[in-house]
Amino acid sequence: MEKEKKINASVEATSNKQVIYREPVRGSLKETHLGVRTSSERLKADEDSGAIAVKNLYLACDPYNLNLIKFSAQLGSPIPGYGVARVLESGHPNFKKGDLVWGMTGWEEYSLITAPESCFKIEHTDVPLSYYTGLLGMPGVTAYAGFFEVSSPKKGETVFISAAAGAVGQLVGQFAKLLGCYVVGSAGSKEKVDLLKNKFGFDDAFNYKEEQDLDAVLKRCFPEGIDVYFDNVGGKMLDAVLPNMKLRGRITVCGMISQYSLEQPEGVHNLMNLLLKRVRMEGFVVSDHYHLYPKFLEMVLPLIREGKIVYMEDIAEGLKNGPAALVGVFSGRNVGKQVVVVSRE
Amino acid sequence: MEKEKKINASVEATSNKQVIYREPVRGSLKETHLGVRTSSERLKADEDSGAIAVKNLYLACDPYNLNLIKFSAQLGSPIPGYGVARVLESGHPNFKKGDLVWGMTGWEEYSLITAPESCFKIEHTDVPLSYYTGLLGMPGVTAYAGFFEVSSPKKGETVFISAAAGAVGQLVGQFAKLLGCYVVGSAGSKEKVDLLKNKFGFDDAFNYKEEQDLDAVLKRCFPEGIDVYFDNVGGKMLDAVLPNMKLRGRITVCGMISQYSLEQPEGVHNLMNLLLKRVRMEGFVVSDHYHLYPKFLEMVLPLIREGKIVYMEDIAEGLKNGPAALVGVFSGRNVGKQVVVVSRE
C-alpha cells in the first residue's frame, strides 16, 4: 500500500517491445509460454515517486529466471529478470538521469522500476556493460559468496563443480584455481568440456551426458575424494557425488537445475554419507550476500583488467530472440553466459 | 604391528560368557546372527603390554552397534560395543586395577582392551554407573555436541527431534527445553509419546506410526516452521521435514536408523528446500567431539543431581538376554536407553 501511494508515475504514448508471460508454466519452460508484443504505452517516473524509469540494455538468462516466471510473473505482463539499464527519469534520490544500473527489471525496452533500492549503480565502465548481467552482477556475487563464504575452501583442496560452463560455474572454477585448488567441472557437451580445460583453466572436466557411470568418472577424477562440491544441478549428480565426498567435505547447494523442470523431484539416496563423512551441505541464495558486492568488485575488477579471469558470453540480439535464448539455457544450448541485447544505445 | 608387539597378554583358563558374531548381517539384525557361548579362555593384560583386562558391568545397545557389527566384528568373536567396566589388570600407565572406565569393549564377561587410550575413566560414582553407557557416555556427548556445537540453537527457536525417546533424543529435547526452545518429538508408540510429554517435558510429541500424513502433523506442530531438526532417522521423516524448515534452519544428521537395515536407501525428494530456505544440513559423529567431554560433564552432572535432567533406562539382565535387547532397539521395542547388565559386581 505504502509503495503504491508513493509511485506517481504517468503514462506516455510510445513504442515499447515486451516479452510477456502468455501461458502458465508447469514442467519445463517452452517458447510458447512467452510472447513478444509491442505496447504503445510507457510508464514514466515522476519526481518523488520513488521509482525510476529505465531503458533496458542487456538482460540476463539464468536458470533462476524460471522461478521468477513461475512465482513472480503476471500473465499478460512482461516477465521479470535481471538486467543492465540506463536511467531515463528518476523519482528516487539515489538515482539521476543518465545513471547506469543493474538489478531486477522487466523483459522490455523500457521499464518502470518501483523499488530501485535493490538496484546497484554501475560505477566502472571500462569493462563491457553486459558483464553486469553476469560476471559483475548476480551470478558473480553468487559465485563469490557461494565459494568463499559458504564453501570454506582451503588451498590444495579438491573442488568439483557441476554445470561448470555456466555463468556461476566458470567463475567458481577460476576462483578455486586462483586459491590453489584442484578443480574439475562437469558440463553437457564436448565444446563446453574443451572450454573448461583450455579456456577456464580447470584441471579436468567431463561431459556428464557421455558418462554411463558417474560414480566411476568421479572416482577417476578424484581418487582421494572431493573436499568441496559446488552443486548447480542436484539430482543424479548429487547422488553420485555424495559417496565420493571426503571427510568433512562441504556441499554448497547453489542450484538444482536438473530438478526445476520436473513435476516430481528425483530421490537422492546417498545422504547417509553426510553422516559417515561428517559432510556439511548448505543452501544459499545470493540476496543474503549482496552486502559483499563492494568487496567482491574490489577483488574481481583488477583480475579482469589483468586478464586473470576470463569470461564468456553467448549473445542473443534483440528482444525478439529473447524467449528462444532463455529456453535454451535449460537444455544447455548456450556456451557461456546467455545474454539478450535489448539495445546497445 | 606396533600394537601387536606391545601387547604381551597371557591366557588364563576361566569361564567367560560371550555374545559372538555368528552369521553375516545383510539387511536387518536378527537374533540368529548372534550366539551366546561360554569360552574357557580369558586374556590377561601383562605389565607394560599397553592393554587393560576388564570385567564388563554394563553394555550399551545403540543403533550404532549395527555399524560396529557390520564393519568391525569378526565372525566367531565377541561383538564390540560401548560399555562400563572395572579394570582387573592394567598394562597401561593411565589405568590401575580397580579403576572404572567406559568405552569400547566386547560383549562378554571379561575383555582385553588393547587400545585403552580411547576409554574414559569414571570419576563420579554418585550417579548410577549404568548412566555411563548413555546419559554420561557416548549418547550423552552425542546429544550435547550435536545440539550445542552443530545445531547452533538459539533461545526461542523451534526444535524437532525424531526417535525422541531414544538415548540421544530424550537428552537433546531436555537440553533444548533448558535453553528455552519449543520442542516437539516423534516416537513409535503411545507409551513413548506420553513419556516425551509427561516425563521429559517436551511441548508436544506424536506417534509417527499413527500419522498418515507426516507433512500435516509437522505443519500442525510447527505452524511457523522448524528452526532445528535433530535427525536420528533419515528417510521419509527427513523428506517430510524439509519443506517445513524455516529460513536458515539447520538439520543436524545424527543418525538415519530408518535406513540402516535397508539394502537400498530410500530416496529423499525435497532437498530443493535446502536452497529455497538456505538450510544447513550437517552430519557429525561423536568421536570428533570427545574433547568436549569434561565441559559436558561439568554442565550435566549438576543438572542430574538437581533433578533438572531426567533419564530413563530399559534394563535387560544378563548377557544371555543381550541379543534380543539389541535386536529390539531396531524395532523400537525398548523404552528409554537399552542397557544390558553383565554384572552388578
Side-chain angles (χ1 to χ4, degrees), chain A residues 58-63 65 82-83 107 130 132-135 139 165-168 170 192 311-318 321-341:
Chain A
Y58 301 95
L59 294 169
C61 298
D62 292 301
N65 287 62
Y82 277 94
W107 277 48
S130 57
Y132 288 93
T133 65
L135 170 55
V168 175
Q170 55 176 268
K192 290 179 188 175
Y311 182 61
M312 262 195 84
E313 294 181 318
D314 193 327
I315 302 285
E317 289 288 339
N321 294 316
L326 182 54
V327 169
V329 164
F330 293 92
S331 58
R333 200 203 48 76
N334 57 308
V335 178
K337 165 76 184 189
Q338 181 68 58
V339 178
V340 175
V341 181

Side-chain angles (χ1 to χ4, degrees), chain A residues 49-121:
Chain A
S49 63
I52 59 175
V54 301
K55 179 180 184 186
N56 294 308
L57 307 178
Y58 301 95
L59 294 169
C61 298
D62 292 301
Y64 173 67
N65 287 62
L66 182 55
N67 287 335
L68 278 179
I69 292 172
K70 280 185 176 165
F71 303 116
S72 312
Q74 305 288 324
L75 283 174
S77 294
I79 60 171
Y82 277 94
V84 170
R86 174 81 73 185
V87 177
L88 299 180
E89 297 139 356
S90 175
H92 192 289
N94 294 2
F95 301 92
K96 60 179 198 304
K97 184 178 170 177
D99 280 351
L100 286 162
V101 297
W102 73 265
M104 192 59 68
T105 183
W107 277 48
E108 54 189 340
E109 286 178 289
Y110 302 95
S111 293
L112 185 76
I113 299 176
T114 58
E117 302 80 8
S118 64
C119 288
F120 292 83
K121 227 187 284 193

Side-chain angles (χ1 to χ4, degrees), chain B residues 116-315:
Chain B
E117 302 79 10
S118 64
C119 288
F120 292 84
K121 227 186 286 192
I122 294 174
E123 316 272 2
H124 304 274
T125 53
D126 61 327
V127 289
L129 269 186
S130 58
Y131 280 21
Y132 288 93
T133 65
L135 170 54
L136 294 174
M138 189 269 278
V141 196
T142 302
Y144 177 81
F147 186 62
F148 291 110
E149 298 287 311
V150 184
S151 308
S152 315
K154 284 183 281 295
K155 185 178 169 172
E157 287 194 324
T158 58
V159 175
F160 176 56
I161 303 158
S162 53
V168 175
Q170 55 176 271
L171 283 173
V172 173
Q174 293 181 79
F175 289 152
K177 283 306 299 174
L178 287 168
L179 184 66
C181 296
Y182 181 82
V183 182
V184 180
S186 65
S189 74
K190 186 182 177 310
E191 186 185 6
K192 290 180 187 175
V193 167
D194 289 346
L195 277 173
L196 290 175
K197 290 200 270 196
N198 302 325
K199 190 172 162 82
F200 297 125
F202 282 52
D203 294 292
D204 206 347
F206 63 88
N207 178 352
Y208 73 93
K209 289 181 181 168
E210 300 222 319
E211 299 290 343
Q212 297 293 314
D213 184 345
L214 291 175
D215 181 65
V217 66
L218 289 169
K219 285 203 163 44
R220 194 183 74 219
C221 292
F222 298 100
E224 287 170 23
I226 299 166
D227 289 301
V228 172
Y229 173 42
F230 199 95
D231 187 7
N232 290 307
V233 303
K236 286 186 183 66
M237 184 66 88
L238 173 59
D239 226 358
V241 165
L242 279 160
N244 285 292
M245 290 302 292
K246 261 196 199 168
L247 208 65
R248 292 185 194 80
R250 287 129 270 147
I251 297 177
T252 297
V253 185
C254 175
M256 292 197 168
I257 191 173
S258 74
Q259 307 297 298
Y260 294 166
S261 303
L262 305 177
E263 299 233 359
Q264 278 288 339
E266 292 175 299
V268 171
H269 296 80
N270 293 322
L271 288 173
M272 183 78 85
N273 290 279
L274 296 184
L275 188 57
L276 302 175
K277 312 278 184 63
R278 298 85 144 153
V279 169
R280 186 183 77 203
M281 183 167 170
E282 188 165 358
F284 79 104
V285 295
V286 63
S287 50
D288 293 344
H289 299 273
Y290 274 142
H291 60 280
L292 299 171
Y293 189 60
K295 203 174 142 195
F296 159 71
L297 277 190
E298 207 174 291
M299 184 191 92
V300 84
L301 280 170
L303 292 170
I304 297 173
R305 291 180 186 129
E306 294 161 24
K308 287 185 179 154
I309 282 202
V310 293
Y311 182 61
M312 262 194 86
E313 295 181 319
D314 194 328
I315 302 286

Side-chain angles (χ1 to χ4, degrees), chain A residues 14-15 19 73 79 111 128 138 165 176-177 180 204 209 225 234 238 266-267 270 279 304 316:
Chain A
T14 182
S15 161
V19 174
I79 60 171
S111 293
M138 188 269 279
K177 282 306 299 175
D204 205 347
K209 290 181 181 167
L238 173 57
E266 292 174 297
N270 293 322
V279 168
I304 297 173

Side-chain angles (χ1 to χ4, degrees), chain B residues 66-80:
Chain B
L66 183 55
N67 288 335
L68 278 180
I69 291 173
K70 280 184 176 167
F71 302 118
S72 310
Q74 304 289 322
L75 284 173
S77 294
I79 60 171

